[in-house]
Amino acid sequence: MLSAELSRVIDATVDEARPALVKLSRDIHANPELRFEEHKASAWIAELLRARGFDVEHGLAGMSTALRAKRGSAGGARVAILGEYDALPEIGHACGHNLIATSAVGAFLAAAAVVDRTGGEVLFLGTPAEEGGGGKIRMIERGVFEGLDAAMMFHPFDRDMLAHTALASTWLTMKFIGAPAPAAAPHDGRLPWRHGMRFA
Ligand SMILES: [Zn+2]
């Protein structure tokens, strides 16, 4: 569980970054750039991160608009948060890549603020050309995702969704073995991890 102290650091980090994050989102939205041409968006993100003391690799895997920043140390979990920032021809930021980029930067700043205390490493990866260009595929092929334990991102939608079918997702059915408890008597329940957990 997250300690109150870590939660406070995360809250304070996001509060401090809020104006810059909102500006980043609006600037990217107002300046839609097509795949592989996200020069302004990637420069604004790099600028924001550098202003907060991060070393930013700008240009990666043969793409001048890919980005990488990291914080933490080897030995623990390595988690990447992915930001997309390309737009669609004629439509602009229809599905909200300005929000994806901004939320990824914000989540990275928050995690980076506590990673020295939690252990592990957190990375921000700016991934160009999501709209048909396959920027992430180039990054995978050039080893950018090597050694990562998890990669995550957020995508806005017009409703709450429990599941989303994506081309590159793998489904796992998990069966938890334990004893359920009524809400009035939670102490009657037995936690699954005391009894082991198995994949169905
Ligand atoms: Zn999208």
Side-chain angles (χ1 to χ4, degrees):
M1 202 167 81
L2 214 53
S3 78
E5 168 60 12
L6 294 190
S7 307
R8 263 194 303 276
V9 174
I10 288 171
D11 283 352
T13 304
V14 174
D15 284 348
E16 182 279 323
R18 190 175 189 280
L21 292 171
V22 171
K23 183 178 185 324
L24 175 69
S25 175
R26 291 187 177 151
D27 285 348
I28 295 176
H29 187 267
N31 293 273
E33 298 169 295
L34 299 182
R35 59 188 183 219
F36 299 119
E37 285 166 19
E38 313 92 331
H39 302 293
K40 288 180 186 166
S42 60
W44 288 329
I45 294 169
E47 205 175 287
L48 190 157
L49 292 173
R50 284 187 182 127
R52 283 168 171 73
F54 293 93
D55 291 330
V56 181
E57 290 169 77
H58 195 170
L60 211 61
M63 295 176 288
S64 64
T65 56
L67 296 166
R68 176 164 56 196
K70 13 179 162 177
R71 181 65 50 94
S73 51
R78 296 186 76 220
V79 177
I81 302 170
L82 313 188
E84 300 170 352
Y85 28 76
D86 61 324
L88 288 154
E90 291 168 36
I91 305 174
H93 279 287
C95 71
H97 286 193
N98 58 306
L99 299 172
I100 295 176
T102 303
S103 66
V105 172
F108 170 73
L109 291 176
V114 296
V115 75
D116 286 341
R117 279 180 264 185
T118 61
E121 191 175 20
V122 60
L123 293 84
F124 170 81
L125 290 179
T127 61
E130 194 272 336
E131 303 289 11
K136 292 187 197 70
I137 297 169
R138 297 186 187 196
M139 293 169 86
I140 290 168
E141 285 170 354
R142 308 275 184 107
V144 176
F145 286 81
E146 219 114 294
L148 293 178
D149 294 292
M152 57 176 76
M153 60 170 285
F154 141 91
H155 200 297
F157 214 75
D158 63 351
R159 71 205 70 163
D160 292 333
M161 293 170 80
L162 287 174
H164 178 250
T165 38
L167 287 175
S169 60
T170 303
W171 289 77
L172 276 179
T173 304
M174 297 179 79
K175 188 170 184 178
F176 293 91
I177 302 159
H187 47 274
D188 284 347
R190 276 180 297 165
L191 301 174
W193 53 83
R194 286 194 195 149
H195 296 266
M197 190 169 80
R198 73 165 186 242
F199 293 103

